[in-house]
Amino acid sequence: MRLTLVETTDPRVYDDAVRSLPITSALQGWGYGEARRVLGQTPVRYLIQQQGRTVGALQLLRKRLVPGFSTLYAPRGPALESLDLLPAVAEAARQIARPGDALLKIEPPSPIPADDSVPVPETFGPFRRAESEQPEHTILADLTRSEDDLFAGLHSMARRNVRTAQKMGVVAGRDDDFEAFWEIFTATNERAKLGAFPRAYYETMLREGNAHGGEAYIVLSRHEGKALAGGFFLAMGTGTYYLFGGSVRDDRTQPGGTPYKDVKAPDAFYWNAMLDAKRRGYTLFDFWGIPRRLDEDKHSFGVFKMKLKFSEERVWYPAYDLNLNVAAPAIVKALRWRKTQNNLRKRGSAEDVL
């Protein structure tokens, strides 16, 4: 089959396509690309067409490396009718690539069970399995079940903690207080040595993620008004994705000088975020990122254990590369080296967070 990539500058037309496709992700939405501009990356959007009919959508981020060379990256994309289209997408992408575009990385938004019941494809036509940029391993929750079934499916500790939070007066739900989210997010990153993008990146995603057909929002968990846990979500179509967040300890003291008890605010956050998504019609909840290798001494292990209390559906989102010119192998090695150096500088370890 022959496919054509037709560039579009109309955000409504583009997001309508992304939202309606069965294999899709919010990271292919227009708003996510606009946030990436803050990082110096240039988004370009295409409708993937076959004989005049739209069968997919592709947002590519062009990342300038050194003068004369760039990479193209489709974050959790492309959005497609079927994975069978990917070999033809590769050929169509070659037609729109610039001479300096050395590599195209894709991350098809089609989850593969982590229990080895379905093999991870090593190739899709000329695409070859490669290292992902977004978290390759994650946990999903199916929100089509009833609220009672969802609650019954939680780990017993999660159910107990959610009930405790309710009894202690914790309130969790959508919230417009970006400052409270930012305080929690930055404190978590500093504690775990995770690093973060500039604040403008998240502010842009919050604004642009709501502008053209997707949804960006914050959920906070509060006790007596103080935000103790929270997260940033980006949604598109039937899925919502928990991209950023964290929690802080309650450092307040009561009038008698005794510290506040642990009110289980993070558990209340996760549960109420799931309920909010379900009640608004989303059927897929992506907890966004668990470690490739489990290490109980690392911050990421605690995050994994928390998420696992709310769903045990572990999946893979593998990535694939398409070499566009002979410099691609050397560029891949250079990018891996640069990532390792960043990890060493920020966390004192060469390993990735997830």
Side-chain angles (χ1 to χ4, degrees), residues 172-189:
R174 292 206 182 190
D175 203 300
D176 294 330
D177 191 347
F178 183 86
E179 292 297 332
F181 158 76
W182 187 249
E183 181 179 340
I184 291 170
F185 180 55
T186 53
T188 301
N189 286 343

Side-chain angles (χ1 to χ4, degrees), residues 14 25 27-28 32-33 36 39 41-44 46 58-64 70-78 101-108 131-136 197 201 288 317-322 324 335:
Y14 177 77
S25 164
L27 271 64
Q28 279 293 287
Y32 185 80
R36 285 283 182 153
L39 308 180
Q41 301 168 13
T42 303
V44 189
Y46 300 92
L58 175 63
Q59 175 166 248
L60 293 177
L61 303 175
R62 180 170 276 112
K63 302 180 182 183
R64 185 173 179 271
S70 300
T71 62
L72 298 175
Y73 169 50
R76 280 280 179 96
D101 293 333
L103 179 79
L104 167 60
K105 181 181 294 292
I106 64 170
E107 297 165 340
E131 185 173 335
S132 63
E133 179 165 325
Q134 303 302 325
E136 186 177 39
F197 294 128
Y201 173 75
W288 205 255
Y317 282 98
Y320 300 85
D321 283 356
L322 175 69
L324 297 174
L335 291 174

Side-chain angles (χ1 to χ4, degrees), residues 313-326:
E313 186 183 350
R314 298 168 62 179
V315 300
W316 294 56
Y317 282 98
Y320 300 85
D321 283 356
L322 175 69
N323 291 349
L324 297 174
N325 68 37
V326 295

Side-chain angles (χ1 to χ4, degrees), residues 30-336:
W30 193 279
Y32 185 80
E34 291 307 295
R36 285 283 182 153
R37 287 190 192 274
V38 176
L39 308 180
Q41 301 168 13
T42 303
V44 189
R45 292 88 172 191
Y46 300 92
L47 299 179
I48 304 173
Q49 295 192 335
Q50 183 180 30
Q51 296 180 337
R53 186 174 71 89
T54 297
V55 295
L58 175 63
Q59 175 166 248
L60 293 177
L61 303 175
R62 180 170 276 112
K63 302 180 182 183
R64 185 173 179 271
L65 301 175
V66 294
F69 285 107
S70 300
T71 62
L72 298 175
Y73 169 50
R76 280 280 179 96
L80 294 167
E81 280 191 352
S82 168
L83 294 180
D84 293 339
L85 297 170
L86 280 173
V89 169
E91 298 310 314
R94 292 185 189 278
Q95 301 304 311
I96 57 89
R98 296 177 179 175
D101 293 333
L103 179 79
L104 167 60
K105 181 181 294 292
I106 64 170
E107 297 165 340
S110 181
I112 298 171
D115 59 7
D116 296 327
S117 61
V118 178
V120 177
E122 289 299 315
T123 63
F124 283 104
F127 285 111
R128 296 291 183 269
R129 180 85 183 274
E131 185 173 335
S132 63
E133 179 165 325
Q134 303 302 325
E136 186 177 39
H137 297 185
T138 188
I139 293 177
L140 305 179
D142 176 7
L143 301 183
T144 61
R145 295 174 290 164
S146 70
E147 291 186 14
D148 288 343
D149 284 345
L150 281 174
F151 192 73
L154 304 185
H155 188 278
S156 60
M157 185 181 294
R159 295 197 301 271
R160 183 167 62 249
N161 288 350
V162 167
R163 292 190 181 107
T164 297
Q166 291 171 341
K167 291 177 182 178
M168 299 292 286
V170 174
V171 177
R174 292 206 182 190
D175 203 300
D176 294 330
D177 191 347
F178 183 86
E179 292 297 332
F181 158 76
W182 187 249
E183 181 179 340
I184 291 170
F185 180 55
T186 53
T188 301
N189 286 343
E190 290 171 4
R191 183 173 70 243
K193 299 180 180 179
L194 299 178
F197 294 128
R199 175 173 170 147
Y201 173 75
Y202 307 93
E203 292 175 324
T204 302
M205 195 182 302
L206 186 61
R207 181 183 67 251
E208 295 294 329
N210 281 302
H212 311 296
E215 192 174 29
Y217 61 94
I218 291 168
V219 174
L220 295 179
S221 183
R222 296 179 180 269
H223 180 243
E224 295 183 1
K226 181 176 177 62
L228 298 173
F232 184 114
F233 293 80
L234 191 65
M236 177 71 74
T238 60
T240 188
Y241 305 80
Y242 168 43
L243 300 185
F244 319 106
S247 62
V248 293
R249 293 186 181 277
D250 194 345
D251 56 4
R252 298 173 297 174
T253 56
Q254 300 190 50
T258 58
Y260 273 73
K261 293 182 178 179
D262 180 3
V263 296
K264 308 302 181 184
D267 295 82
F269 158 71
Y270 278 104
W271 174 240
N272 283 280
M274 291 170 67
L275 288 186
D276 171 84
K278 177 177 176 57
R279 291 166 182 170
R280 293 173 187 265
Y282 295 111
T283 59
L284 173 73
F285 189 101
D286 190 332
F287 288 85
W288 205 255
I290 58 176
R292 293 183 179 90
R293 293 182 296 276
L294 299 181
D295 184 340
E296 294 187 17
D297 294 330
K298 292 186 177 181
H299 168 81
S300 58
F301 184 80
V303 174
F304 161 69
K305 295 295 286 186
M306 170 62 81
K307 293 176 179 179
L308 197 64
K309 290 192 302 183
F310 289 86
S311 178
E312 295 184 349
E313 186 183 350
R314 298 168 62 179
V315 300
W316 294 56
Y317 282 98
Y320 300 85
D321 283 356
L322 175 69
N323 291 349
L324 297 174
N325 68 37
V326 295
I331 286 174
V332 169
K333 289 182 180 179
L335 291 174
R336 180 65 257 185

